[in-house]
Amino acid sequence: MTYLTFLESLIEDAGKLAMTFPKSMPSRVKNADRNQIVTSADLVLGSQIRRRIRERFPDDSVVDEESGAVCGASPITWIIDPIDGTSNFAAGSPLFGVMVGVLEHDKPVAGGVALPAFSEIYVAAAGEGAYCNESKLRIKADGDLAQQLVAYGMDIHPSEIDLDCRILAGIAARCRGVRMSNSIFDCMMVAKGAYGGFMHRRNHIWDCVAAQIIIEEAGGIFSDMDGRPLDFTNPLTRTADVFSILACGPGLHGAITDITRDQSPQ
C-alpha cells in the first residue's frame, strides 16, 4: 500500500505542534551521553505520532526513540524520531526535523521528514519517488566533489574526535565547503540538491530509515561511510546499534568513500 498521504499528514501535524513550543526550552541528558538530550516536546510529539499510527495500523510494530519498541503482528515497523536535532531545537535553532520511516520485512519502503521552521514536508515511498511540498526531487547522477557543499555531522565523543577531524579535513580539502547542522536538515539539503553529500559517523536506526528512502527515491545513494548497505534486520532489537551514514549523488559516492577509507584505521 502507499503511505504517502498518511505520512504527509502525520509529520506535518507533528511539525506544527513542535512550533508551538518555546523557542528555547529546558532539556535533560539521556543515558549519561551529553550528545543525547530530550525535551518535553520530544515526548509530546512522540505520543501523538504513536497514537495516530496505532489508530490507523494497529497490527504494526513501532520503534520510537523516546519510548522504545512495541512489537506487532505484521511485517511492518514504524521508526519514529519525534525531534531530530533536539540540541538545536532546545537552543532555539530552526535546524531540526520530525522523522518517521517505515520498514517492511526490514527494508525501508516509505518515509517522511518535516522541517517545521521552513514549512517543508519531504515524503517518499518505494517506487513512487520523493517529494518536497509536492515537488518531485531528483538528485543529479553525476557531479564534481570540488564544486559541492558537503555536510558533516559530528557528536562529541573524546575518543573519536581525532578520526572525525581527519575525515572532515579530507573532505574539506576536496569540496567547495563544509556545512554542519548535525541534524536531518543537512540530509534533506542533499535530497533537494543544495548539498552534494551528508555524512555522520554515529546514528541510530531512527536517524536512518526515513532519510534512506527519501534519498534513494530521489536518485541518490544512502550507505554507511565505507560504502556498504545499511542492515536493519530485526529492527526492534537494534535500538542501541550505531550506524554511520553517507547520503550523496551516485557520481560523488566513490570519491567520498575513498576519502573516508583513507582516513579510517586499517
Side-chain angles (χ1 to χ4, degrees):
M1 67 173 298
T2 181
Y3 294 96
L4 289 179
T5 302
F6 177 74
L7 273 167
E8 185 172 2
S9 172
L10 183 69
I11 61 173
E12 183 174 18
D13 289 348
K16 289 177 179 177
L17 180 58
M19 295 300 288
T20 67
F21 285 83
K23 293 298 183 183
S24 59
M25 59 187 310
S27 62
R28 64 175 175 82
V29 175
K30 300 189 299 183
N31 305 321
D33 180 353
R34 63 173 173 157
N35 298 286
Q36 301 295 319
I37 68 170
V38 63
T39 70
S40 59
D42 295 84
L43 304 179
V44 172
L45 266 65
S47 178
Q48 175 178 288
I49 293 168
R50 294 194 311 275
R51 175 181 55 78
R52 289 189 59 182
I53 292 171
R54 285 197 304 269
E55 290 172 352
R56 181 74 178 272
F57 304 101
D59 294 329
D60 293 354
S61 299
V62 175
V63 175
D64 177 0
E65 177 182 5
E66 308 306 341
S67 67
V70 176
C71 184
S74 85
I76 304 296
T77 303
W78 294 76
I79 310 292
I80 303 167
D81 190 346
I83 297 180
D84 183 78
T86 304
S87 293
N88 295 349
F89 175 80
S93 166
L95 302 177
F96 68 91
V98 178
M99 304 174 64
V100 179
V102 185
L103 297 172
E104 183 173 7
H105 297 295
D106 306 337
K107 302 295 184 183
V109 295
V113 170
L115 300 182
F118 301 92
S119 300
E120 291 185 346
I121 303 295
Y122 297 78
V123 291
E128 298 185 46
Y131 300 84
C132 175
N133 293 355
E134 300 184 357
S135 294
K136 192 163 187 178
L137 299 170
R138 196 65 196 169
I139 296 171
K140 291 182 179 179
D142 56 359
D144 178 0
L145 186 59
Q147 303 301 317
Q148 301 291 330
L149 299 176
V150 176
Y152 195 99
M154 184 188 301
D155 293 330
I156 305 303
H157 295 275
S159 64
E160 301 180 9
I161 288 176
D162 286 349
L163 176 55
D164 268 320
C165 288
R166 289 199 306 272
I167 296 172
L168 182 57
I171 294 293
R174 294 167 176 81
C175 72
R176 172 165 284 174
V178 173
R179 302 294 181 262
M180 303 177 75
S181 83
N182 206 34
S183 76
I184 189 59
F185 173 86
D186 287 337
C187 194
M188 293 303 95
M189 292 304 100
V190 177
K192 287 181 74 171
Y195 295 174
F198 169 62
M199 310 170 69
H200 199 305
R201 289 188 56 244
R202 297 188 63 86
N203 307 270
H204 292 286
I205 191 168
W206 43 79
D207 301 309
C208 303
V209 175
Q212 177 168 337
I213 190 68
I214 292 170
I215 292 294
E216 290 182 344
E217 284 296 311
I221 295 178
F222 196 95
S223 69
D224 74 11
M225 283 174 53
D226 289 327
R228 298 169 299 206
L230 273 63
D231 179 7
F232 301 126
T233 305
N234 299 319
L236 273 66
T237 68
R238 308 293 296 278
T239 58
D241 290 5
V242 175
F243 301 84
S244 75
I245 61 174
L246 164 60
C248 64
L252 301 174
H253 192 255
I256 294 175
T257 55
D258 284 348
I259 295 168
T260 301
R261 286 191 289 265
D262 286 346
Q263 300 302 328
S264 299
Q266 300 301 315

